[in-house]
């Protein structure tokens, strides 16, 4: 017969330790969000069916085509502001890189408003971001 301590070690503690060391580790990091608000100058005339595209990009010196890390497309509702929340995989964020947000509002294939320059952002900080859009230079 086994004593209470022996039973605990054989049927309780030992299986627990085997389970801990052989259990699969969760793959990948949990997603985080970069959130904030996109604003346009008042009074803006934005047609129905317009969409706002907000992108998190990695800034690289000397490159004009910035790599997009995450993107969100939202239907524009309201007059002068719209909230956004981009889901970001933290494993795609390089700690030594600089990141920025840029946005544009598109309707009928034309860019109506956009950020003049990508605005610096810290994607893993959890801070609310504010993107102020201006009228696009190509607007007719």
């Amino acid at each position: 017969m086994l004593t209470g301590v022996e039973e605990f070690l054989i049927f309780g503690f030992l299986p627990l330790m085997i389970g801990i060391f052989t259990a699969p580790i969760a793959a990948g990091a949990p997603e985080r969000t970069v959130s904030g608000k996109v604003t346009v100058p008042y009074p803006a005339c934005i047609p129905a069916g317009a969409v706002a595209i907000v992108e998190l990009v990695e800034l690289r010196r000397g490159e004009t085509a910035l790599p997009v890390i995450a993107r969100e497309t939202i239907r524009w509702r309201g007059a002068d502001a719209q909230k956004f929340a981009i889901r970001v995989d933290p494993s795609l964020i390089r700690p030594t890189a600089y990141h920025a947000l840029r946005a544009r509002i598109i309707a009928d294939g034309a860019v109506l408003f956009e950020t003049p320059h990508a605005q610096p952002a810290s994607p893993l900080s959890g801070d609310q971001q504010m993107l102020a859009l201006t009228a696009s230079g190509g607007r007719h």
Side-chain angles (χ1 to χ4, degrees), residues 30-41:
E31 287 185 336
R32 304 274 307 258
T33 58
V34 176
S35 59
K37 190 181 286 189
V38 175
T39 61
V40 294

Side-chain angles (χ1 to χ4, degrees), residues 34 56-57 59 97-101 118-125 129 131:
V34 176
L56 176 66
V57 296
L59 297 176
Y98 293 101
H99 299 89
L101 289 168
Q119 298 180 12
S122 179
L124 300 180
S125 70
Q129 308 293 323
L131 298 174

Side-chain angles (χ1 to χ4, degrees), residues 40-132:
V40 294
Y42 183 81
C45 182
I46 300 176
V51 294
I53 300 171
V54 183
E55 298 174 326
L56 176 66
V57 296
E58 184 178 310
L59 297 176
R60 294 185 178 169
R61 185 174 292 191
E63 289 190 28
T64 55
L66 302 174
V68 176
I69 296 172
R71 174 183 293 131
E72 182 186 17
T73 302
I74 48 179
R75 180 177 291 178
W76 189 264
R77 293 185 180 100
D80 60 348
Q82 181 75 42
K83 291 183 179 180
F84 69 89
I86 304 173
R87 284 188 264 163
V88 179
D89 181 359
S91 67
L92 298 175
I93 304 297
R94 293 186 320 151
T96 58
Y98 293 101
H99 299 89
L101 289 168
R102 64 182 178 193
R104 61 188 175 276
I105 297 175
I106 300 173
D108 299 324
V111 177
L112 304 177
F113 295 92
E114 62 187 346
T115 49
H117 305 285
Q119 298 180 12
S122 179
L124 300 180
S125 70
D127 295 339
Q128 291 288 313
Q129 308 293 323
M130 182 70 85
L131 298 174

